[in-house]
């Protein structure tokens, strides 16, 4: 499995051409053979490979793994989705863009425990340095209806995109909530 995941990257150095259909080989092998992925390096490489193909499928695959593997694998999913260095090795004409992956990640149905872990990782942990980590946290709060948290957020600022920035968006949320913005735990 590890050879399928890493060996294909090295095939160019020995003069072999990598065909587009070769990209599916690790997934086909995994689905047919169901290897246990007991070695951490193999499991991590497979998680990176899978996250590059589909964020949602990776999320549900992580849930099938033993409990002690969830957090490290969720970190890999977040890194592959948000970290700039993970994207610098990708092809420029990639079909599955970083923005699409980030939007898909924001919409995942996290449990309360997963939600807490993701938010803590992106605000206090290693993920706080990822491109758009704060934006991802705010978008997630909006997606799950935690609007009072969005209205009370003071740290996030940013450049205008299509005439809108986070300050304008947060002001709109505050006005929309009206007196409810001070209610603890108010969600939509």
């Amino acid at each position: 499995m590890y050879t399928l995941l890493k060996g294909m990257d090295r095939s160019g150095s020995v003069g072999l051409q990598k065909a587009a259909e070769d990209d599916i080989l690790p997934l086909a092998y995994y689905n047919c053979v169901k290897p246990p992925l007991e070695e951490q390096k193999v499991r991590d490489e497979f998680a990176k490979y899978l996250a590059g193909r589909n964020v949602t499928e990776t999320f549900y695959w992580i849930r099938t793994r033993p409990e002690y593997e969830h957090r490290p694998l969720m970190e890999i999913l977040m890194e592959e989705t948000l970290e700039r260095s993970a994207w610098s090795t990708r092809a420029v004409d990639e079909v599955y863009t970083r923005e699409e992956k980030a939007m898909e990640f924001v919409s995942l149905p996290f449990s309360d425990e997963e939600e807490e872990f993701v938010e803590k990782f992106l605000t206090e942990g290693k993920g706080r340095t990822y491109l758009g980590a704060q934006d991802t946290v705010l978008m997630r709060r909006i997606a799950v209806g935690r609007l009072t948290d969005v209205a009370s957020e003071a740290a996030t600022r940013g450049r205008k995109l299509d005439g809108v920035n986070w300050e304008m968006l947060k002001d709109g949320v505050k006005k929309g909530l009206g007196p409810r913005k001070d209610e603890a735990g108010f969600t939509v």
Side-chain angles (χ1 to χ4, degrees), residues 17-181:
Q17 296 295 323
K18 182 178 178 181
E21 57 272 3
D22 289 346
D23 187 45
I24 196 77
L25 290 177
L27 187 58
Y29 179 78
Y30 179 80
N31 286 330
C32 291
V33 178
K34 296 287 188 212
L37 302 179
E38 291 178 2
E39 288 185 49
Q40 183 178 348
K41 71 178 185 177
V42 176
R43 187 173 46 248
D44 291 353
E45 284 303 319
F46 186 71
K48 288 176 186 178
Y49 163 78
L50 203 54
R53 296 186 59 79
N54 191 309
V55 171
T56 303
E57 288 297 320
T58 306
F59 172 71
Y60 284 112
W61 174 77
I62 289 170
R63 284 190 165 176
T64 67
R65 304 299 300 167
E67 186 72 32
Y68 68 90
E69 293 178 5
H70 286 196
R71 288 182 183 225
L73 292 173
M74 283 294 287
E75 287 180 13
I76 290 171
L77 175 58
M78 287 184 272
E79 180 178 348
E80 291 297 305
T81 304
L82 303 172
E83 174 59 9
R84 182 181 306 229
S85 66
W87 283 88
S88 64
T89 60
R90 301 282 199 284
V92 177
D93 61 340
E94 191 160 347
V95 177
Y96 197 29
T97 67
R98 180 186 177 281
E99 291 80 13
E100 291 171 329
K101 283 179 143 186
M103 290 299 292
E104 194 172 332
F105 180 79
V106 163
S107 302
L108 291 174
F110 296 130
S111 67
D112 291 339
E113 184 181 307
E114 291 166 334
E115 183 81 40
E116 183 181 330
F117 171 71
V118 167
E119 190 162 324
K120 190 170 220 148
F121 181 80
L122 291 174
T123 57
E124 301 170 15
K126 177 182 158 189
R128 73 181 180 280
T129 62
Y130 294 170
L131 180 65
Q134 278 296 120
D135 296 344
T136 303
V137 170
L138 272 180
M139 286 301 297
R140 177 70 189 170
R141 289 175 180 170
I142 291 170
V144 297
R146 292 175 38 208
L147 300 178
T148 55
D149 293 344
V150 173
S152 65
E153 174 68 41
T156 306
R157 290 183 169 63
R159 67 183 189 348
K160 281 191 175 185
L161 185 63
D162 293 332
V164 179
N165 66 9
W166 282 118
E167 285 303 313
M168 294 171 70
L169 188 63
K170 289 187 288 187
D171 285 343
V173 169
K174 285 178 190 176
K175 288 177 184 174
L177 286 173
R180 296 172 297 188
K181 74 175 186 259

